[in-house]
Amino acid sequence: MSASVRSHADKEECDRGDAALTLAFTILGQRWSALVLGSLRAGPAGFRELSRAIDGLSDSVLSDRLAKLTQARLVRRRVEEGPPVSVTYELTDHGEALMPALDQISAWAVEHLDLPPD
Amino acid sequence: MSASVRSHADKEECDRGDAALTLAFTILGQRWSALVLGSLRAGPAGFRELSRAIDGLSDSVLSDRLAKLTQARLVRRRVEEGPPVSVTYELTDHGEALMPALDQISAWAVEHLDLPPD
DNA sequence: GATGTTGCTTCGATTTTCGAAGTTGCTACG
DNA sequence: CGTAGCAACTTCGAAAATCGAAGCAACATC
């Protein structure tokens, strides 16, 4: 049997695994990343504005997420020297392209998850 | 000024926050949850099969995720007494309803993320 | 000068996840 | 009958991720 034949387990992973989804969730599966992206849907925002918009998110993690999302080219960091210095984060085209999927997840959650009462 | 008037910060959160997306990502934002759901798209599977299908996922976390997804009614755990005992996990209607969004995320990742070469 | 805001960084504490080892109950085989 | 292997998990110490408070420089405002 030639070496190119995959084992049963490899075949299973091929059938059930989804490399693209796996890659997507190396980013989205990190706590708060999806919500940071979702928050930018409303337009560019500064650090403090994002911090206020997302309850429970710590500054150090926000900083980390913005760096990682920028590195993944989903977010662009724009600096205006001022004074005072002004930094805004905005979605790139790659980031914008994810918004319909996040909308779909939102709509799904309304329909299929138990939202807690206000 | 009446007590019902929200502060500016509350208004910001209202404009940028998305309670439904936030709720969705309390589940999907936990490492591996989305991939477990995505893996079940191919049909019901047992614990080992899921473990093999998702590279890097530890048994204790898989057990935890399946319990939480079952509790959230996205997954159903079906036991056949046997002998031998046989347990399979399958998507509920709620879980099925998420699949189009996960498909969309997959397609987005292919287009907009840098997949590593094989 | 004091206070507040922006845009972060630092660091010890806490939580989450990992990974190996283990358990029970079965099947298959010599 | 004993051994090996598999399924379906559980346990627990180690490692990684996240939290939360405090801090900093550079500005604006009073």
mmCIF file with all atom_site columns, all heavy atoms in Angstrom, chain A residues 101 104-105 108-109 112, chain B residues 24 27-28 33-34 37-38 41 74 91-105:
data_model
loop_
_atom_site.group_PDB
_atom_site.id
_atom_site.type_symbol
_atom_site.label_atom_id
_atom_site.label_alt_id
_atom_site.label_comp_id
_atom_site.label_asym_id
_atom_site.label_entity_id
_atom_site.label_seq_id
_atom_site.pdbx_PDB_ins_code
_atom_site.Cartn_x
_atom_site.Cartn_y
_atom_site.Cartn_z
_atom_site.occupancy
_atom_site.B_iso_or_equiv
_atom_site.pdbx_formal_charge
_atom_site.auth_seq_id
_atom_site.auth_comp_id
_atom_site.auth_asym_id
_atom_site.auth_atom_id
_atom_site.pdbx_PDB_model_num
ATOM 1   N N   . ALA A 1 101 ? -21.285 37.786 8.607  1.00 0.00 ? 101 ALA A N   1
ATOM 2   C CA  . ALA A 1 101 ? -21.291 36.550 9.394  1.00 0.00 ? 101 ALA A CA  1
ATOM 3   C C   . ALA A 1 101 ? -21.577 36.848 10.867 1.00 0.00 ? 101 ALA A C   1
ATOM 4   O O   . ALA A 1 101 ? -22.313 36.113 11.528 1.00 0.00 ? 101 ALA A O   1
ATOM 5   C CB  . ALA A 1 101 ? -19.953 35.825 9.244  1.00 0.00 ? 101 ALA A CB  1
ATOM 6   N N   . GLN A 1 104 ? -25.166 37.479 11.236 1.00 0.00 ? 104 GLN A N   1
ATOM 7   C CA  . GLN A 1 104 ? -25.887 36.225 11.206 1.00 0.00 ? 104 GLN A CA  1
ATOM 8   C C   . GLN A 1 104 ? -25.825 35.525 12.556 1.00 0.00 ? 104 GLN A C   1
ATOM 9   O O   . GLN A 1 104 ? -26.806 34.942 13.016 1.00 0.00 ? 104 GLN A O   1
ATOM 10  C CB  . GLN A 1 104 ? -25.284 35.322 10.122 1.00 0.00 ? 104 GLN A CB  1
ATOM 11  C CG  . GLN A 1 104 ? -26.341 34.545 9.354  1.00 0.00 ? 104 GLN A CG  1
ATOM 12  C CD  . GLN A 1 104 ? -25.757 33.717 8.247  1.00 0.00 ? 104 GLN A CD  1
ATOM 13  O OE1 . GLN A 1 104 ? -24.842 34.126 7.547  1.00 0.00 ? 104 GLN A OE1 1
ATOM 14  N NE2 . GLN A 1 104 ? -26.306 32.514 8.086  1.00 0.00 ? 104 GLN A NE2 1
ATOM 15  N N   . ILE A 1 105 ? -24.670 35.609 13.206 1.00 0.00 ? 105 ILE A N   1
ATOM 16  C CA  . ILE A 1 105 ? -24.532 34.999 14.533 1.00 0.00 ? 105 ILE A CA  1
ATOM 17  C C   . ILE A 1 105 ? -25.403 35.736 15.544 1.00 0.00 ? 105 ILE A C   1
ATOM 18  O O   . ILE A 1 105 ? -26.051 35.120 16.392 1.00 0.00 ? 105 ILE A O   1
ATOM 19  C CB  . ILE A 1 105 ? -23.050 34.983 14.957 1.00 0.00 ? 105 ILE A CB  1
ATOM 20  C CG1 . ILE A 1 105 ? -22.296 33.963 14.084 1.00 0.00 ? 105 ILE A CG1 1
ATOM 21  C CG2 . ILE A 1 105 ? -22.909 34.614 16.436 1.00 0.00 ? 105 ILE A CG2 1
ATOM 22  C CD1 . ILE A 1 105 ? -20.840 33.830 14.413 1.00 0.00 ? 105 ILE A CD1 1
ATOM 23  N N   . TRP A 1 108 ? -28.939 34.705 14.918 1.00 0.00 ? 108 TRP A N   1
ATOM 24  C CA  . TRP A 1 108 ? -29.089 33.326 15.412 1.00 0.00 ? 108 TRP A CA  1
ATOM 25  C C   . TRP A 1 108 ? -29.226 33.295 16.930 1.00 0.00 ? 108 TRP A C   1
ATOM 26  O O   . TRP A 1 108 ? -30.033 32.559 17.484 1.00 0.00 ? 108 TRP A O   1
ATOM 27  C CB  . TRP A 1 108 ? -27.888 32.494 14.966 1.00 0.00 ? 108 TRP A CB  1
ATOM 28  C CG  . TRP A 1 108 ? -27.792 31.185 15.652 1.00 0.00 ? 108 TRP A CG  1
ATOM 29  C CD1 . TRP A 1 108 ? -28.485 30.045 15.357 1.00 0.00 ? 108 TRP A CD1 1
ATOM 30  C CD2 . TRP A 1 108 ? -26.977 30.879 16.787 1.00 0.00 ? 108 TRP A CD2 1
ATOM 31  N NE1 . TRP A 1 108 ? -28.136 29.037 16.239 1.00 0.00 ? 108 TRP A NE1 1
ATOM 32  C CE2 . TRP A 1 108 ? -27.218 29.523 17.123 1.00 0.00 ? 108 TRP A CE2 1
ATOM 33  C CE3 . TRP A 1 108 ? -26.059 31.599 17.544 1.00 0.00 ? 108 TRP A CE3 1
ATOM 34  C CZ2 . TRP A 1 108 ? -26.566 28.896 18.184 1.00 0.00 ? 108 TRP A CZ2 1
ATOM 35  C CZ3 . TRP A 1 108 ? -25.426 30.969 18.608 1.00 0.00 ? 108 TRP A CZ3 1
ATOM 36  C CH2 . TRP A 1 108 ? -25.685 29.629 18.919 1.00 0.00 ? 108 TRP A CH2 1
ATOM 37  N N   . ALA A 1 109 ? -28.428 34.107 17.603 1.00 0.00 ? 109 ALA A N   1
ATOM 38  C CA  . ALA A 1 109 ? -28.457 34.113 19.061 1.00 0.00 ? 109 ALA A CA  1
ATOM 39  C C   . ALA A 1 109 ? -29.807 34.596 19.585 1.00 0.00 ? 109 ALA A C   1
ATOM 40  O O   . ALA A 1 109 ? -30.349 34.051 20.549 1.00 0.00 ? 109 ALA A O   1
ATOM 41  C CB  . ALA A 1 109 ? -27.336 35.003 19.606 1.00 0.00 ? 109 ALA A CB  1
ATOM 42  N N   . HIS A 1 112 ? -32.121 31.608 18.980 1.00 0.00 ? 112 HIS A N   1
ATOM 43  C CA  . HIS A 1 112 ? -31.836 30.250 19.457 1.00 0.00 ? 112 HIS A CA  1
ATOM 44  C C   . HIS A 1 112 ? -31.168 30.168 20.821 1.00 0.00 ? 112 HIS A C   1
ATOM 45  O O   . HIS A 1 112 ? -30.987 29.079 21.343 1.00 0.00 ? 112 HIS A O   1
ATOM 46  C CB  . HIS A 1 112 ? -30.967 29.521 18.425 1.00 0.00 ? 112 HIS A CB  1
ATOM 47  C CG  . HIS A 1 112 ? -31.673 29.265 17.141 1.00 0.00 ? 112 HIS A CG  1
ATOM 48  N ND1 . HIS A 1 112 ? -32.532 28.204 16.961 1.00 0.00 ? 112 HIS A ND1 1
ATOM 49  C CD2 . HIS A 1 112 ? -31.681 29.948 15.974 1.00 0.00 ? 112 HIS A CD2 1
ATOM 50  C CE1 . HIS A 1 112 ? -33.022 28.250 15.725 1.00 0.00 ? 112 HIS A CE1 1
ATOM 51  N NE2 . HIS A 1 112 ? -32.535 29.285 15.114 1.00 0.00 ? 112 HIS A NE2 1
ATOM 52  N N   . ALA B 1 24  ? -23.726 35.172 22.199 1.00 0.00 ? 24  ALA B N   1
ATOM 53  C CA  . ALA B 1 24  ? -23.243 34.124 21.303 1.00 0.00 ? 24  ALA B CA  1
ATOM 54  C C   . ALA B 1 24  ? -21.783 33.801 21.606 1.00 0.00 ? 24  ALA B C   1
ATOM 55  O O   . ALA B 1 24  ? -21.382 32.642 21.633 1.00 0.00 ? 24  ALA B O   1
ATOM 56  C CB  . ALA B 1 24  ? -23.409 34.563 19.853 1.00 0.00 ? 24  ALA B CB  1
ATOM 57  N N   . ILE B 1 27  ? -20.368 31.588 24.374 1.00 0.00 ? 27  ILE B N   1
ATOM 58  C CA  . ILE B 1 27  ? -20.242 30.163 24.004 1.00 0.00 ? 27  ILE B CA  1
ATOM 59  C C   . ILE B 1 27  ? -19.155 29.964 22.954 1.00 0.00 ? 27  ILE B C   1
ATOM 60  O O   . ILE B 1 27  ? -18.239 29.179 23.136 1.00 0.00 ? 27  ILE B O   1
ATOM 61  C CB  . ILE B 1 27  ? -21.590 29.652 23.462 1.00 0.00 ? 27  ILE B CB  1
ATOM 62  C CG1 . ILE B 1 27  ? -22.633 29.687 24.567 1.00 0.00 ? 27  ILE B CG1 1
ATOM 63  C CG2 . ILE B 1 27  ? -21.447 28.246 22.905 1.00 0.00 ? 27  ILE B CG2 1
ATOM 64  C CD1 . ILE B 1 27  ? -24.020 29.361 24.090 1.00 0.00 ? 27  ILE B CD1 1
ATOM 65  N N   . LEU B 1 28  ? -19.275 30.687 21.842 1.00 0.00 ? 28  LEU B N   1
ATOM 66  C CA  . LEU B 1 28  ? -18.349 30.464 20.734 1.00 0.00 ? 28  LEU B CA  1
ATOM 67  C C   . LEU B 1 28  ? -16.945 30.959 21.030 1.00 0.00 ? 28  LEU B C   1
ATOM 68  O O   . LEU B 1 28  ? -15.985 30.537 20.398 1.00 0.00 ? 28  LEU B O   1
ATOM 69  C CB  . LEU B 1 28  ? -18.882 31.140 19.467 1.00 0.00 ? 28  LEU B CB  1
ATOM 70  C CG  . LEU B 1 28  ? -20.255 30.660 19.014 1.00 0.00 ? 28  LEU B CG  1
ATOM 71  C CD1 . LEU B 1 28  ? -20.689 31.405 17.760 1.00 0.00 ? 28  LEU B CD1 1
ATOM 72  C CD2 . LEU B 1 28  ? -20.261 29.164 18.760 1.00 0.00 ? 28  LEU B CD2 1
ATOM 73  N N   . SER B 1 33  ? -15.195 25.479 21.165 1.00 0.00 ? 33  SER B N   1
ATOM 74  C CA  . SER B 1 33  ? -16.640 25.266 21.090 1.00 0.00 ? 33  SER B CA  1
ATOM 75  C C   . SER B 1 33  ? -17.146 25.323 19.657 1.00 0.00 ? 33  SER B C   1
ATOM 76  O O   . SER B 1 33  ? -17.902 24.453 19.219 1.00 0.00 ? 33  SER B O   1
ATOM 77  C CB  . SER B 1 33  ? -17.395 26.305 21.916 1.00 0.00 ? 33  SER B CB  1
ATOM 78  O OG  . SER B 1 33  ? -17.230 26.025 23.280 1.00 0.00 ? 33  SER B OG  1
ATOM 79  N N   . ALA B 1 34  ? -16.743 26.356 18.936 1.00 0.00 ? 34  ALA B N   1
ATOM 80  C CA  . ALA B 1 34  ? -17.220 26.492 17.566 1.00 0.00 ? 34  ALA B CA  1
ATOM 81  C C   . ALA B 1 34  ? -16.751 25.322 16.707 1.00 0.00 ? 34  ALA B C   1
ATOM 82  O O   . ALA B 1 34  ? -17.479 24.861 15.825 1.00 0.00 ? 34  ALA B O   1
ATOM 83  C CB  . ALA B 1 34  ? -16.722 27.814 16.980 1.00 0.00 ? 34  ALA B CB  1
ATOM 84  N N   . LEU B 1 37  ? -18.855 22.240 17.392 1.00 0.00 ? 37  LEU B N   1
ATOM 85  C CA  . LEU B 1 37  ? -20.120 22.355 16.657 1.00 0.00 ? 37  LEU B CA  1
ATOM 86  C C   . LEU B 1 37  ? -19.901 22.116 15.162 1.00 0.00 ? 37  LEU B C   1
ATOM 87  O O   . LEU B 1 37  ? -20.626 21.368 14.526 1.00 0.00 ? 37  LEU B O   1
ATOM 88  C CB  . LEU B 1 37  ? -20.733 23.742 16.886 1.00 0.00 ? 37  LEU B CB  1
ATOM 89  C CG  . LEU B 1 37  ? -21.296 23.991 18.285 1.00 0.00 ? 37  LEU B CG  1
ATOM 90  C CD1 . LEU B 1 37  ? -21.659 25.458 18.470 1.00 0.00 ? 37  LEU B CD1 1
ATOM 91  C CD2 . LEU B 1 37  ? -22.524 23.109 18.535 1.00 0.00 ? 37  LEU B CD2 1
ATOM 92  N N   . GLY B 1 38  ? -18.868 22.753 14.635 1.00 0.00 ? 38  GLY B N   1
ATOM 93  C CA  . GLY B 1 38  ? -18.574 22.593 13.216 1.00 0.00 ? 38  GLY B CA  1
ATOM 94  C C   . GLY B 1 38  ? -18.299 21.141 12.851 1.00 0.00 ? 38  GLY B C   1
ATOM 95  O O   . GLY B 1 38  ? -18.661 20.684 11.763 1.00 0.00 ? 38  GLY B O   1
ATOM 96  N N   . ARG B 1 41  ? -21.317 18.972 12.221 1.00 0.00 ? 41  ARG B N   1
ATOM 97  C CA  . ARG B 1 41  ? -22.048 19.256 11.008 1.00 0.00 ? 41  ARG B CA  1
ATOM 98  C C   . ARG B 1 41  ? -22.076 18.022 10.091 1.00 0.00 ? 41  ARG B C   1
ATOM 99  O O   . ARG B 1 41  ? -23.045 17.796 9.356  1.00 0.00 ? 41  ARG B O   1
ATOM 100 C CB  . ARG B 1 41  ? -21.386 20.425 10.294 1.00 0.00 ? 41  ARG B CB  1
ATOM 101 C CG  . ARG B 1 41  ? -22.002 20.616 8.971  1.00 0.00 ? 41  ARG B CG  1
ATOM 102 C CD  . ARG B 1 41  ? -21.432 21.689 8.136  1.00 0.00 ? 41  ARG B CD  1
ATOM 103 N NE  . ARG B 1 41  ? -22.381 21.782 7.027  1.00 0.00 ? 41  ARG B NE  1
ATOM 104 C CZ  . ARG B 1 41  ? -23.208 22.778 6.852  1.00 0.00 ? 41  ARG B CZ  1
ATOM 105 N NH1 . ARG B 1 41  ? -23.148 23.809 7.642  1.00 0.00 ? 41  ARG B NH1 1
ATOM 106 N NH2 . ARG B 1 41  ? -24.080 22.766 5.883  1.00 0.00 ? 41  ARG B NH2 1
ATOM 107 N N   . LEU B 1 74  ? -27.540 23.263 22.150 1.00 0.00 ? 74  LEU B N   1
ATOM 108 C CA  . LEU B 1 74  ? -27.060 23.262 20.773 1.00 0.00 ? 74  LEU B CA  1
ATOM 109 C C   . LEU B 1 74  ? -26.687 21.842 20.349 1.00 0.00 ? 74  LEU B C   1
ATOM 110 O O   . LEU B 1 74  ? -26.595 21.545 19.165 1.00 0.00 ? 74  LEU B O   1
ATOM 111 C CB  . LEU B 1 74  ? -25.833 24.178 20.649 1.00 0.00 ? 74  LEU B CB  1
ATOM 112 C CG  . LEU B 1 74  ? -26.022 25.605 21.172 1.00 0.00 ? 74  LEU B CG  1
ATOM 113 C CD1 . LEU B 1 74  ? -24.782 26.444 20.879 1.00 0.00 ? 74  LEU B CD1 1
ATOM 114 C CD2 . LEU B 1 74  ? -27.249 26.252 20.559 1.00 0.00 ? 74  LEU B CD2 1
ATOM 115 N N   . LEU B 1 91  ? -26.127 17.545 16.630 1.00 0.00 ? 91  LEU B N   1
ATOM 116 C CA  . LEU B 1 91  ? -26.635 18.912 16.696 1.00 0.00 ? 91  LEU B CA  1
ATOM 117 C C   . LEU B 1 91  ? -28.146 18.904 16.909 1.00 0.00 ? 91  LEU B C   1
ATOM 118 O O   . LEU B 1 91  ? -28.860 18.125 16.310 1.00 0.00 ? 91  LEU B O   1
ATOM 119 C CB  . LEU B 1 91  ? -26.337 19.651 15.381 1.00 0.00 ? 91  LEU B CB  1
ATOM 120 C CG  . LEU B 1 91  ? -24.861 19.966 15.096 1.00 0.00 ? 91  LEU B CG  1
ATOM 121 C CD1 . LEU B 1 91  ? -24.697 20.497 13.678 1.00 0.00 ? 91  LEU B CD1 1
ATOM 122 C CD2 . LEU B 1 91  ? -24.331 20.972 16.110 1.00 0.00 ? 91  LEU B CD2 1
ATOM 123 N N   . THR B 1 92  ? -28.609 19.792 17.758 1.00 0.00 ? 92  THR B N   1
ATOM 124 C CA  . THR B 1 92  ? -30.054 20.038 17.857 1.00 0.00 ? 92  THR B CA  1
ATOM 125 C C   . THR B 1 92  ? -30.449 21.007 16.729 1.00 0.00 ? 92  THR B C   1
ATOM 126 O O   . THR B 1 92  ? -29.581 21.465 15.965 1.00 0.00 ? 92  THR B O   1
ATOM 127 C CB  . THR B 1 92  ? -30.393 20.713 19.190 1.00 0.00 ? 92  THR B CB  1
ATOM 128 O OG1 . THR B 1 92  ? -29.719 21.976 19.223 1.00 0.00 ? 92  THR B OG1 1
ATOM 129 C CG2 . THR B 1 92  ? -29.951 19.866 20.362 1.00 0.00 ? 92  THR B CG2 1
ATOM 130 N N   . ASP B 1 93  ? -31.720 21.325 16.640 1.00 0.00 ? 93  ASP B N   1
ATOM 131 C CA  . ASP B 1 93  ? -32.167 22.321 15.652 1.00 0.00 ? 93  ASP B CA  1
ATOM 132 C C   . ASP B 1 93  ? -31.483 23.662 15.883 1.00 0.00 ? 93  ASP B C   1
ATOM 133 O O   . ASP B 1 93  ? -31.109 24.355 14.941 1.00 0.00 ? 93  ASP B O   1
ATOM 134 C CB  . ASP B 1 93  ? -33.691 22.496 15.709 1.00 0.00 ? 93  ASP B CB  1
ATOM 135 C CG  . ASP B 1 93  ? -34.416 21.296 15.113 1.00 0.00 ? 93  ASP B CG  1
ATOM 136 O OD1 . ASP B 1 93  ? -33.746 20.476 14.443 1.00 0.00 ? 93  ASP B OD1 1
ATOM 137 O OD2 . ASP B 1 93  ? -35.629 21.171 15.317 1.00 0.00 ? 93  ASP B OD2 1
ATOM 138 N N   . HIS B 1 94  ? -31.326 24.016 17.170 1.00 0.00 ? 94  HIS B N   1
ATOM 139 C CA  . HIS B 1 94  ? -30.635 25.252 17.510 1.00 0.00 ? 94  HIS B CA  1
ATOM 140 C C   . HIS B 1 94  ? -29.200 25.225 16.979 1.00 0.00 ? 94  HIS B C   1
ATOM 141 O O   . HIS B 1 94  ? -28.699 26.212 16.439 1.00 0.00 ? 94  HIS B O   1
ATOM 142 C CB  . HIS B 1 94  ? -30.598 25.472 19.024 1.00 0.00 ? 94  HIS B CB  1
ATOM 143 C CG  . HIS B 1 94  ? -31.949 25.569 19.662 1.00 0.00 ? 94  HIS B CG  1
ATOM 144 N ND1 . HIS B 1 94  ? -32.914 26.467 19.261 1.00 0.00 ? 94  HIS B ND1 1
ATOM 145 C CD2 . HIS B 1 94  ? -32.497 24.874 20.685 1.00 0.00 ? 94  HIS B CD2 1
ATOM 146 C CE1 . HIS B 1 94  ? -33.990 26.315 20.022 1.00 0.00 ? 94  HIS B CE1 1
ATOM 147 N NE2 . HIS B 1 94  ? -33.770 25.359 20.897 1.00 0.00 ? 94  HIS B NE2 1
ATOM 148 N N   . GLY B 1 95  ? -28.540 24.080 17.169 1.00 0.00 ? 95  GLY B N   1
ATOM 149 C CA  . GLY B 1 95  ? -27.172 23.949 16.694 1.00 0.00 ? 95  GLY B CA  1
ATOM 150 C C   . GLY B 1 95  ? -27.091 23.963 15.180 1.00 0.00 ? 95  GLY B C   1
ATOM 151 O O   . GLY B 1 95  ? -26.218 24.624 14.602 1.00 0.00 ? 95  GLY B O   1
ATOM 152 N N   . GLU B 1 96  ? -28.014 23.241 14.536 1.00 0.00 ? 96  GLU B N   1
ATOM 153 C CA  . GLU B 1 96  ? -28.066 23.213 13.068 1.00 0.00 ? 96  GLU B CA  1
ATOM 154 C C   . GLU B 1 96  ? -28.190 24.624 12.501 1.00 0.00 ? 96  GLU B C   1
ATOM 155 O O   . GLU B 1 96  ? -27.626 24.958 11.463 1.00 0.00 ? 96  GLU B O   1
ATOM 156 C CB  . GLU B 1 96  ? -29.271 22.402 12.576 1.00 0.00 ? 96  GLU B CB  1
ATOM 157 C CG  . GLU B 1 96  ? -29.150 20.909 12.719 1.00 0.00 ? 96  GLU B CG  1
ATOM 158 C CD  . GLU B 1 96  ? -28.260 20.266 11.648 1.00 0.00 ? 96  GLU B CD  1
ATOM 159 O OE1 . GLU B 1 96  ? -27.721 20.990 10.781 1.00 0.00 ? 96  GLU B OE1 1
ATOM 160 O OE2 . GLU B 1 96  ? -28.104 19.035 11.714 1.00 0.00 ? 96  GLU B OE2 1
ATOM 161 N N   . ALA B 1 97  ? -28.976 25.444 13.189 1.00 0.00 ? 97  ALA B N   1
ATOM 162 C CA  . ALA B 1 97  ? -29.272 26.789 12.696 1.00 0.00 ? 97  ALA B CA  1
ATOM 163 C C   . ALA B 1 97  ? -28.030 27.676 12.656 1.00 0.00 ? 97  ALA B C   1
ATOM 164 O O   . ALA B 1 97  ? -28.019 28.720 12.012 1.00 0.00 ? 97  ALA B O   1
ATOM 165 C CB  . ALA B 1 97  ? -30.353 27.440 13.563 1.00 0.00 ? 97  ALA B CB  1
ATOM 166 N N   . LEU B 1 98  ? -27.003 27.259 13.379 1.00 0.00 ? 98  LEU B N   1
ATOM 167 C CA  . LEU B 1 98  ? -25.756 28.043 13.388 1.00 0.00 ? 98  LEU B CA  1
ATOM 168 C C   . LEU B 1 98  ? -24.853 27.687 12.209 1.00 0.00 ? 98  LEU B C   1
ATOM 169 O O   . LEU B 1 98  ? -23.940 28.449 11.863 1.00 0.00 ? 98  LEU B O   1
ATOM 170 C CB  . LEU B 1 98  ? -25.007 27.800 14.706 1.00 0.00 ? 98  LEU B CB  1
ATOM 171 C CG  . LEU B 1 98  ? -23.702 28.575 14.916 1.00 0.00 ? 98  LEU B CG  1
ATOM 172 C CD1 . LEU B 1 98  ? -23.950 30.085 14.907 1.00 0.00 ? 98  LEU B CD1 1
ATOM 173 C CD2 . LEU B 1 98  ? -23.032 28.137 16.195 1.00 0.00 ? 98  LEU B CD2 1
ATOM 174 N N   . MET B 1 99  ? -25.109 26.560 11.575 1.00 0.00 ? 99  MET B N   1
ATOM 175 C CA  . MET B 1 99  ? -24.181 26.077 10.556 1.00 0.00 ? 99  MET B CA  1
ATOM 176 C C   . MET B 1 99  ? -23.986 27.038 9.387  1.00 0.00 ? 99  MET B C   1
ATOM 177 O O   . MET B 1 99  ? -22.837 27.220 8.961  1.00 0.00 ? 99  MET B O   1
ATOM 178 C CB  . MET B 1 99  ? -24.595 24.675 10.056 1.00 0.00 ? 99  MET B CB  1
ATOM 179 C CG  . MET B 1 99  ? -24.470 23.592 11.119 1.00 0.00 ? 99  MET B CG  1
ATOM 180 S SD  . MET B 1 99  ? -22.797 23.447 11.847 1.00 0.00 ? 99  MET B SD  1
ATOM 181 C CE  . MET B 1 99  ? -23.071 24.114 13.503 1.00 0.00 ? 99  MET B CE  1
ATOM 182 N N   . PRO B 1 100 ? -25.052 27.674 8.877  1.00 0.00 ? 100 PRO B N   1
ATOM 183 C CA  . PRO B 1 100 ? -24.814 28.633 7.790  1.00 0.00 ? 100 PRO B CA  1
ATOM 184 C C   . PRO B 1 100 ? -23.829 29.744 8.194  1.00 0.00 ? 100 PRO B C   1
ATOM 185 O O   . PRO B 1 100 ? -22.989 30.163 7.385  1.00 0.00 ? 100 PRO B O   1
ATOM 186 C CB  . PRO B 1 100 ? -26.207 29.200 7.503  1.00 0.00 ? 100 PRO B CB  1
ATOM 187 C CG  . PRO B 1 100 ? -27.136 28.117 7.944  1.00 0.00 ? 100 PRO B CG  1
ATOM 188 C CD  . PRO B 1 100 ? -26.482 27.481 9.131  1.00 0.00 ? 100 PRO B CD  1
ATOM 189 N N   . ALA B 1 101 ? -23.923 30.216 9.403  1.00 0.00 ? 101 ALA B N   1
ATOM 190 C CA  . ALA B 1 101 ? -23.003 31.255 9.853  1.00 0.00 ? 101 ALA B CA  1
ATOM 191 C C   . ALA B 1 101 ? -21.576 30.726 9.936  1.00 0.00 ? 101 ALA B C   1
ATOM 192 O O   . ALA B 1 101 ? -20.617 31.430 9.563  1.00 0.00 ? 101 ALA B O   1
ATOM 193 C CB  . ALA B 1 101 ? -23.446 31.809 11.205 1.00 0.00 ? 101 ALA B CB  1
ATOM 194 N N   . LEU B 1 102 ? -21.417 29.492 10.412 1.00 0.00 ? 102 LEU B N   1
ATOM 195 C CA  . LEU B 1 102 ? -20.073 28.924 10.473 1.00 0.00 ? 102 LEU B CA  1
ATOM 196 C C   . LEU B 1 102 ? -19.529 28.696 9.061  1.00 0.00 ? 102 LEU B C   1
ATOM 197 O O   . LEU B 1 102 ? -18.334 28.885 8.809  1.00 0.00 ? 102 LEU B O   1
ATOM 198 C CB  . LEU B 1 102 ? -20.060 27.616 11.263 1.00 0.00 ? 102 LEU B CB  1
ATOM 199 C CG  . LEU B 1 102 ? -20.348 27.719 12.768 1.00 0.00 ? 102 LEU B CG  1
ATOM 200 C CD1 . LEU B 1 102 ? -20.017 26.396 13.464 1.00 0.00 ? 102 LEU B CD1 1
ATOM 201 C CD2 . LEU B 1 102 ? -19.573 28.855 13.428 1.00 0.00 ? 102 LEU B CD2 1
ATOM 202 N N   . ASP B 1 103 ? -20.409 28.301 8.143  1.00 0.00 ? 103 ASP B N   1
ATOM 203 C CA  . ASP B 1 103 ? -20.000 28.174 6.729  1.00 0.00 ? 103 ASP B CA  1
ATOM 204 C C   . ASP B 1 103 ? -19.488 29.505 6.209  1.00 0.00 ? 103 ASP B C   1
ATOM 205 O O   . ASP B 1 103 ? -18.499 29.564 5.477  1.00 0.00 ? 103 ASP B O   1
ATOM 206 C CB  . ASP B 1 103 ? -21.190 27.760 5.852  1.00 0.00 ? 103 ASP B CB  1
ATOM 207 C CG  . ASP B 1 103 ? -21.478 26.281 5.977  1.00 0.00 ? 103 ASP B CG  1
ATOM 208 O OD1 . ASP B 1 103 ? -20.608 25.558 6.516  1.00 0.00 ? 103 ASP B OD1 1
ATOM 209 O OD2 . ASP B 1 103 ? -22.554 25.854 5.553  1.00 0.00 ? 103 ASP B OD2 1
ATOM 210 N N   . GLN B 1 104 ? -20.223 30.554 6.553  1.00 0.00 ? 104 GLN B N   1
ATOM 211 C CA  . GLN B 1 104 ? -19.864 31.881 6.095  1.00 0.00 ? 104 GLN B CA  1
ATOM 212 C C   . GLN B 1 104 ? -18.493 32.286 6.656  1.00 0.00 ? 104 GLN B C   1
ATOM 213 O O   . GLN B 1 104 ? -17.681 32.900 5.965  1.00 0.00 ? 104 GLN B O   1
ATOM 214 C CB  . GLN B 1 104 ? -20.930 32.881 6.528  1.00 0.00 ? 104 GLN B CB  1
ATOM 215 C CG  . GLN B 1 104 ? -21.191 33.949 5.488  1.00 0.00 ? 104 GLN B CG  1
ATOM 216 C CD  . GLN B 1 104 ? -22.310 34.885 5.872  1.00 0.00 ? 104 GLN B CD  1
ATOM 217 O OE1 . GLN B 1 104 ? -23.299 34.480 6.463  1.00 0.00 ? 104 GLN B OE1 1
ATOM 218 N NE2 . GLN B 1 104 ? -22.140 36.148 5.527  1.00 0.00 ? 104 GLN B NE2 1
ATOM 219 N N   . ILE B 1 105 ? -18.261 31.932 7.917  1.00 0.00 ? 105 ILE B N   1
ATOM 220 C CA  . ILE B 1 105 ? -16.968 32.249 8.528  1.00 0.00 ? 105 ILE B CA  1
ATOM 221 C C   . ILE B 1 105 ? -15.849 31.460 7.844  1.00 0.00 ? 105 ILE B C   1
ATOM 222 O O   . ILE B 1 105 ? -14.761 31.990 7.597  1.00 0.00 ? 105 ILE B O   1
ATOM 223 C CB  . ILE B 1 105 ? -17.008 31.978 10.045 1.00 0.00 ? 105 ILE B CB  1
ATOM 224 C CG1 . ILE B 1 105 ? -17.909 33.037 10.707 1.00 0.00 ? 105 ILE B CG1 1
ATOM 225 C CG2 . ILE B 1 105 ? -15.609 32.038 10.645 1.00 0.00 ? 105 ILE B CG2 1
ATOM 226 C CD1 . ILE B 1 105 ? -18.038 32.883 12.182 1.00 0.00 ? 105 ILE B CD1 1
#
